Amino acid sequence: MSDTKWEIGIAVALVALSTVLYYIHFLIFHDIHHISIYLLGDIAFTPIEVLLVTLILHRLLEHRDKKQTLEKLNMVIGSFFSEVGEELLTYFSDNDPNLEEIRKNLIVNNNWDDREFKNAHKILKNYNYHVKINSDNIKELKEFLNSESPFILRLMENPALLEHEKFTGLLRAISHLSEELMKRKDIDNLPQSDIDHISGDIVRVYERLVSEWLDYMMYLNNNYPYLFSLAMRSNPFDLTSEIIVK
């Protein structure tokens, strides 16, 4: 309410100032005809001025803000993959019995362009994601997610992520999987029905994680070649990848 009063006050003050200036002009030159011509001209130009300010200038500022938000967002996503994402992708891919069907579509290199990334997304839509789990690797996953839960929670509290529903959905899926595992005290004696349930939660994370990873790799390829180089050398799907440059 106070903001509205402040805006009304500014508007009234500006109109009053304009009226005073026109009156001073009349007192000096005594030419109401001249004032009327310029006043009408100013009023006639007002719609064009509104067009320039509200549409063109506003869109330019909006585009700049979106670009800055995207930069901040991808910095957050980069931190996620460095801290959690790459480790999870390694875990899931190592336990995916059907990975060879799509592995070649995930070996990203310097020759890839946007078309290659889009084609990879298209192929992965038809892929039947599966992760073979047992009590041992479930324990491993539980311990890892438990150690990273504070980091994931901080990411979910980041307001910049409100602009990225897809990545937020991935974090929710990871958080849900972590919660499911934390509530199970005796991992060694889970019935097959419960293992199948956990497997479904894992596949949900796996599928979203691969899709987000591809998007992030495309972003690095288009904007930060040096970061893209490191990401290629740590590709969890490439069995020949090495961090050391040879």
Side-chain angles (χ1 to χ4, degrees):
M1 188 66 181
S2 58
D3 289 341
T4 302
K5 289 182 178 180
W6 179 83
E7 291 173 355
I8 293 174
I10 289 293
V12 171
L14 290 174
V15 171
L17 179 60
S18 180
T19 302
V20 170
L21 291 174
Y22 273 118
Y23 181 66
I24 293 173
H25 185 283
F26 175 74
L27 291 177
I28 296 173
F29 298 103
H30 300 285
D31 189 351
I32 191 67
H33 177 71
H34 184 270
I35 294 175
S36 300
I37 291 175
Y38 276 92
L39 178 61
L40 183 59
D42 290 341
I43 294 174
F45 184 73
T46 299
I48 298 176
E49 188 175 15
V50 171
L51 173 67
L52 292 173
V53 173
T54 61
L55 294 183
I56 299 176
L57 184 60
H58 177 71
R59 286 185 182 275
L60 288 174
L61 293 174
E62 188 178 54
H63 176 73
R64 187 191 67 177
D65 290 342
K66 283 185 177 180
K67 187 176 180 180
Q68 291 176 345
T69 300
L70 183 63
E71 287 289 329
K72 294 177 182 178
L73 180 59
N74 279 288
M75 287 177 63
V76 174
I77 294 175
S79 298
F80 163 78
F81 277 107
S82 297
E83 183 76 19
V84 179
E86 288 184 3
E87 188 75 22
L88 282 178
L89 282 174
T90 300
Y91 171 85
F92 294 145
S93 59
D94 286 349
N95 293 285
D96 183 352
N98 305 319
L99 183 63
E100 292 305 319
E101 296 179 18
I102 58 165
R103 189 189 294 276
K104 65 180 181 179
N105 302 112
L106 296 170
I107 309 299
V108 181
N109 59 59
N110 284 317
N111 297 322
W112 278 42
D113 55 19
D114 289 359
R115 186 172 51 112
E116 296 287 345
F117 283 101
K118 290 178 182 178
N119 185 56
H121 272 297
K122 185 177 180 181
I123 292 172
L124 290 169
K125 282 183 179 179
N126 299 317
Y127 179 61
N128 183 26
Y129 288 87
H130 180 64
V131 178
K132 190 175 182 180
I133 59 174
N134 53 50
S135 58
D136 290 333
N137 60 21
I138 290 180
K139 284 180 182 178
E140 180 186 351
L141 179 61
K142 178 181 178 179
E143 291 173 2
F144 174 72
L145 290 178
N146 186 41
S147 66
E148 297 295 343
S149 58
F151 175 76
I152 294 173
L153 181 60
R154 288 197 303 273
L155 287 182
M156 294 183 69
E157 293 173 346
N158 192 318
L161 296 183
L162 295 175
E163 302 291 330
H164 199 317
E165 293 183 5
K166 185 180 175 184
F167 184 66
T168 303
L170 168 61
L171 292 181
R172 286 199 186 102
I174 294 174
S175 179
H176 173 73
L177 173 60
S178 178
E179 187 176 2
E180 288 272 8
L181 294 176
M182 294 309 116
K183 289 183 179 297
R184 286 163 172 79
K185 306 303 180 183
D186 188 6
I187 296 294
D188 291 319
N189 296 303
L190 297 178
Q192 186 60 44
S193 57
D194 197 45
I195 292 177
D196 292 340
H197 177 81
I198 294 174
S199 178
D201 292 330
I202 289 175
V203 167
R204 183 187 300 111
V205 173
Y206 186 23
E207 183 175 359
R208 297 186 181 199
L209 187 60
V210 172
S211 179
E212 194 61 47
W213 177 80
L214 273 176
D215 287 343
Y216 181 63
M217 292 292 284
M218 182 170 70
Y219 172 78
L220 294 183
N221 185 37
N222 291 333
N223 297 277
Y224 298 99
Y226 63 96
L227 292 178
F228 181 65
S229 172
L230 176 60
M232 284 192 300
R233 285 181 278 119
S234 57
N235 187 338
F237 301 102
D238 189 354
L239 298 177
T240 63
S241 63
E242 293 184 20
I243 292 295
I244 304 299
V245 179
K246 296 181 179 180

